[in-house]
Amino acid sequence: MWRKASAALLLALAVGYFYGGRPELPEQILQYIGLPNLQTPSQSNQDLERAISAAWEALIALPSRQWTKVAVGVNACVDVVVSGVGLLQALAVDPGAGRDHEVLHSKDDLRETFIHYMERGAAAERFFSDKEVFQRIARAAAEYPGAKLYVGGNAALIGQKFATYPDLMVLLCGPVGPKLHEMLDEQIVVPPESLQEADEFHLILEYKAGEQWGSTQAPQANRFIFSHDVSNGEMSSLETFVASLEEFQPELVVLSGFHMMEGQGKELWGQRLKEAVAAIADIPKGIPIHLELASMTDKDFMSRLMQEVLPIVSSIGLNEQELLFLSQAGDGPHAAVPAWKGVPDVGRVGDILSWVLERHGRTDPSSESDLTRIHFHTLAYHILATVDGYWGNQAAAVMAGARVASSQACGLRTVDVSKVELKAPLEFLTSHFEPRERLSLKPEEPVAVWQRGNVTFHLTPVLVCKRPLRTVGLGDAISAEGLVYSELTRQHPF
C-alpha cells in the first residue's frame, strides 16, 4: 500500500513540476520513477540473485592466452583488524562530530576522521604522523579482544590472490618483515633485497552496516585504515622491484602504493614521485603495467599522478571515491559533486571514465599514452572501460571481479545466494550528456555493454553480501581477478 501511495505522491510532484513551468525533474524523482523495483513479489526468494549467479558460472571463462608470470609491488605490511568503535572506546575516546583530516596528528584527529567516513559508509586511508602515539594505539589494537592479523598492503594482497592460481608464478617486492613473510603464500617469490628485520603494521578499523557510535550510524559496512609507515610511504622498494624484473621476466606488472606518499609532505613526495616515474620508465615497453589506486586527499598529488603516472601505465583499478576525487583534482565531469549519495549514478561514472581515457589515455591512436583500460568497482556494480583493440575477454573479466567480491565479502569460496542481495539498478542511463542510451540488465545475461567513441564499457551487478565478514582487500581481489581473466590482444603501445 505504501509503495502505491509513494508512487502516487511522486507522480503528483512530477505533474506539479511540469505545469509549474519547471519541466526538469529532480534527479532523485527521475531515478525513482524511471527505474524498476528490484524486488517484486514475482521475483522473491533470491530469484534475481540466483539467476545472476548461475549466469556468472555459465559465462565466465579464462582467456585462450593466460599470464604465467606476474610481478607485483611495492606496498606490503601486516594488517591488524579490529572493531573501530570498540578500539576507540578502549582508548577512552568519546564520540562527537566528524571532520576529515588529510594527515592524522592525534587521537582526536583519528576520532573525527573515523566518524566522518563511518557516517558515510566510505573507505579511507590516512597517515598518522606521531610515531609514539601510533605505537601506543597499535599495541592497544593488537591486545584488543578479537583482533586479527592478516597479510596487508595492496601489492601483497594482489599477490596473494594471484597465488590462488597454481600455474601462475608471482614475484612480490615490498617491505616484507618476518611476520608477513610467514603469512605469505608459498607460491610467492620474495627477493632477498625486499626482506627487512621488522614488519610494518597498518590498523584497520572496521564497522558494520547499521553500527552506531553516539549519534553516528554507518549506512553500510566498511573500514578506516591508518598507519605510521615510512617504508611504504617512501615506496622504498620500487627500484629493487624494477631491477628484479630483468631476471624474473614477467608478462604483467602490477604496481600499487602511490597513495602512501601523501603523508610524507609535498616536498618529499614531489621528489620521490619524479624518481618513481623514472623507475617505471625503465620497465621494458613490451610489458603491460596495471596501477592500483587507493584513497587520497591531496588534489595536487592526484593531479601529478594523472599527468605523470597514468600515461605510462596500461591499466588502472579504482573505486568510486578515488574516481570522483580524480575528476575533482583534474576539473573533470561532475567535479562539483561533493560525494556520492547511495549507489553511484552509472551515467556520471561513465562520463568520468570516458574523460580519463580521452584526457590521459590512448583513445587517439596518435597519443603517446599507454593507458587503455580502467577497472572501476563500487559496492553495487563494476565497470570495465577499455580502448578498442587492446584487451580481450572483458565481459568475463568484469563478471569474475564481481563474483569474487560477492563470495569473498561473505568469507566464502563460492557465492551463496541466500547471503547476498542485488543493489544495482536494472535500468540506467549511460551518460548525463547526449548522446546517451537507456540500458537494461537481464539477470540471465548480466553484462550490459555500450560504446562511446572507441571505448567499450562492460557493466555487471554485484551480489552484495548482506553480512560481510571482512571488507579489507576486496578491491585488490577484484582487480587481480579481473586481470587473471583479461587477455592482451595487442602488444603496441606497451
Side-chain angles (χ1 to χ4, degrees):
M1 180 66 72
W2 67 267
R3 287 186 183 275
K4 292 180 180 178
S6 298
L9 175 61
L10 285 166
L11 183 59
L13 283 172
V15 172
Y17 263 81
F18 184 81
Y19 284 105
R22 295 181 63 185
E24 70 284 3
L25 292 175
E27 184 180 339
Q28 294 91 336
I29 295 178
L30 283 171
Q31 288 182 338
Y32 192 100
I33 64 177
L35 299 179
N37 176 20
L38 299 188
Q39 298 291 346
T40 63
S42 63
Q43 294 173 320
S44 59
N45 301 321
Q46 299 93 38
D47 283 353
L48 285 172
E49 288 86 353
R50 188 175 289 108
I52 290 169
S53 180
W56 282 346
E57 295 307 317
L59 297 172
I60 295 173
L62 286 164
S64 56
R65 287 183 298 167
Q66 298 167 41
W67 317 107
T68 59
K69 287 185 175 183
V70 179
V72 187
V74 290
N75 61 326
C77 64
V78 175
D79 280 346
V80 183
V81 181
V82 295
S83 161
V85 172
L87 176 63
L88 291 170
Q89 288 175 331
L91 294 170
V93 174
D94 294 324
R99 181 187 170 199
D100 195 10
H101 295 268
E102 292 187 3
V103 177
L104 309 180
H105 302 289
S106 64
K107 286 196 294 185
D108 285 338
D109 288 357
L110 170 61
R111 170 183 58 82
E112 291 176 347
T113 309
F114 175 79
I115 290 172
H116 175 83
Y117 285 98
M118 179 181 174
E119 64 190 7
R120 290 163 173 77
E125 185 167 352
R126 295 291 181 269
F127 180 77
F128 201 103
S129 64
D130 191 315
K131 182 179 180 180
E132 291 184 5
V133 174
F134 175 79
Q135 288 178 338
R136 288 200 295 270
I137 297 172
R139 280 194 294 271
E143 294 167 3
Y144 187 82
K148 296 179 180 179
L149 301 185
Y150 294 99
V151 171
N154 306 88
L157 287 165
I158 290 170
Q160 287 285 90
K161 187 60 187 173
F162 281 141
T164 62
Y165 290 86
D167 296 330
L168 189 55
M169 287 185 63
V170 183
L171 175 78
L172 172 65
C173 280
V176 177
K179 184 62 180 176
L180 177 58
H181 201 201
E182 174 190 317
M183 293 191 293
L184 288 173
D185 191 285
E186 292 180 356
Q187 199 168 315
I188 294 176
V189 177
V190 180
E193 297 83 2
S194 286
L195 300 174
Q196 59 183 39
E197 293 182 1
D199 286 282
E200 298 284 1
F201 289 92
H202 288 203
L203 303 189
I204 317 294
L205 276 55
E206 292 195 319
Y207 49 85
K208 299 175 182 177
E211 187 169 0
Q212 191 144 358
W213 190 34
S215 61
T216 300
Q217 186 172 32
Q220 64 187 34
N222 223 316
R223 78 282 180 188
F224 179 78
I225 306 174
F226 67 103
S227 67
H228 179 86
D229 184 344
V230 177
S231 295
N232 283 306
E234 294 176 349
M235 294 187 76
S236 57
S237 300
L238 182 58
E239 283 77 10
T240 298
F241 177 58
V242 174
S244 67
L245 300 181
E246 185 174 357
E247 180 179 349
F248 186 70
Q249 293 289 304
E251 297 151 350
L252 172 68
V253 166
V254 179
L255 279 174
S256 62
F258 277 89
H259 63 287
M260 296 293 296
M261 285 189 192
E262 266 192 332
Q264 304 302 307
K266 187 169 184 177
E267 186 176 342
L268 288 175
W269 67 245
Q271 179 58 36
R272 187 63 184 127
L273 190 58
K274 288 180 183 177
E275 296 167 355
V277 169
I280 295 170
D282 287 338
I283 297 174
K285 280 290 182 184
I287 303 174
I289 302 168
H290 173 84
L291 172 66
E292 192 66 16
L293 296 177
S295 177
M296 287 175 264
T297 61
D298 187 324
K299 286 187 177 181
D300 289 339
F301 183 70
M302 178 61 97
S303 180
R304 288 277 299 276
L305 274 184
M306 281 192 287
Q307 299 294 331
E308 300 176 31
V309 180
L310 262 57
I312 60 173
V313 300
S314 325
S315 168
I316 61 173
L318 75 178
N319 68 17
E320 72 276 15
Q321 272 103 28
E322 294 141 19
L323 182 72
L324 183 57
F325 187 64
L326 195 152
S327 186
Q328 291 167 343
D331 197 24
H334 313 300
V337 175
W340 301 111
K341 292 182 180 179
V343 176
D345 178 80
V346 175
R348 293 187 194 276
V349 169
D351 291 339
I352 301 174
L353 292 173
S354 182
W355 170 78
V356 174
L357 286 172
E358 288 172 3
R359 180 70 62 88
H360 303 288
R362 197 181 173 84
T363 55
D364 182 348
S366 65
S367 168
E368 295 183 359
S369 173
D370 291 342
L371 181 63
T372 51
R373 178 183 184 272
I374 304 177
H375 194 166
F376 168 82
H377 48 87
T378 188
L379 183 71
Y381 63 87
H382 297 170
I383 297 176
L384 260 169
T386 52
V387 179
D388 294 344
Y390 294 97
W391 298 89
N393 210 44
Q394 293 305 279
V398 75
M399 288 189 287
R403 181 176 63 178
V404 79
S406 301
S407 58
Q408 186 167 310
C410 286
L412 302 171
R413 291 184 179 274
T414 57
V415 178
D416 182 341
V417 294
S418 69
K419 296 182 178 181
V420 296
E421 58 185 335
L422 186 66
K423 291 191 175 184
L426 293 184
E427 250 183 45
F428 57 88
L429 293 171
T430 58
S431 173
H432 271 248
F433 311 118
E434 296 294 348
R436 59 183 178 175
E437 302 175 71
R438 181 180 289 276
L439 297 182
S440 299
L441 270 172
K442 299 177 182 178
E444 65 277 7
E445 297 175 9
V447 179
V449 184
W450 70 97
Q451 196 84 16
R452 190 180 299 188
N454 61 344
V455 175
T456 300
F457 297 80
H458 290 84
L459 179 149
T460 196
V462 175
L463 299 180
V464 180
C465 186
K466 296 175 185 176
R467 296 184 178 180
L469 298 180
R470 188 167 182 245
T471 58
V472 176
L474 272 186
D476 303 310
I478 290 163
S479 286
E481 196 80 345
L483 286 166
V484 166
Y485 281 84
S486 290
E487 180 178 7
L488 191 65
T489 57
R490 189 192 303 182
Q491 284 296 118
H492 183 75
F494 310 136

